[in-house]
Amino acid sequence: MLPNYDTRRVLHFLYMKEPELGTYYHFKDPTKLYEVVGIAMHTETEEQMVVSRPLYENPAAPMFVRPLEMFVGEVDKPELGYKGPRFVRVD
């Protein structure tokens, strides 16, 4: 018997574009680079998470996770004069 999965979550999981492994920067600070090392799934919510390793000195933690939807999402920050991807690939 198959587990009772939420159909919307399964479809979202299947069609959400995953970032390629590689180096990215956050739109707010292009000097801080992050290496995307993989995709993980939250075991309670089944939400996909991007796992990244900071490549700059003195990070707050050795690894970070961010919801996939947020990582690949676009931001609109008129106060900063920016509209575009939250994370930008550099390699």
Side-chain angles (χ1 to χ4, degrees):
M1 182 172 190
L2 292 174
N4 185 17
Y5 290 113
D6 180 339
T7 305
R8 290 170 297 158
R9 281 192 182 174
V10 172
L11 289 173
H12 184 74
F13 183 88
L14 292 173
Y15 292 105
M16 174 66 72
K17 182 178 177 347
E18 292 182 7
E20 295 180 5
L21 301 181
T23 305
Y24 293 77
Y25 68 84
H26 188 276
F27 79 96
K28 286 185 182 176
D29 189 352
T31 66
K32 289 186 175 179
L33 300 178
Y34 301 84
E35 177 188 12
V36 170
V37 296
I39 304 295
M41 184 182 74
H42 190 292
T43 58
E44 296 294 321
T45 66
E46 298 177 3
E47 182 178 18
Q48 287 185 288
M49 308 292 254
V50 175
V51 181
S52 63
R53 181 173 65 90
L55 300 177
Y56 53 89
E57 290 189 31
N58 301 315
M63 301 284 270
F64 293 111
V65 295
R66 185 179 285 258
L68 175 62
E69 188 172 341
M70 184 182 285
F71 189 94
V72 300
E74 300 250 330
V75 294
D76 185 6
K77 297 288 186 179
E79 65 276 14
L80 300 175
Y82 182 81
K83 182 176 182 176
R86 184 177 309 278
F87 283 88
V88 179
R89 182 150 184 193
V90 296
D91 68 355

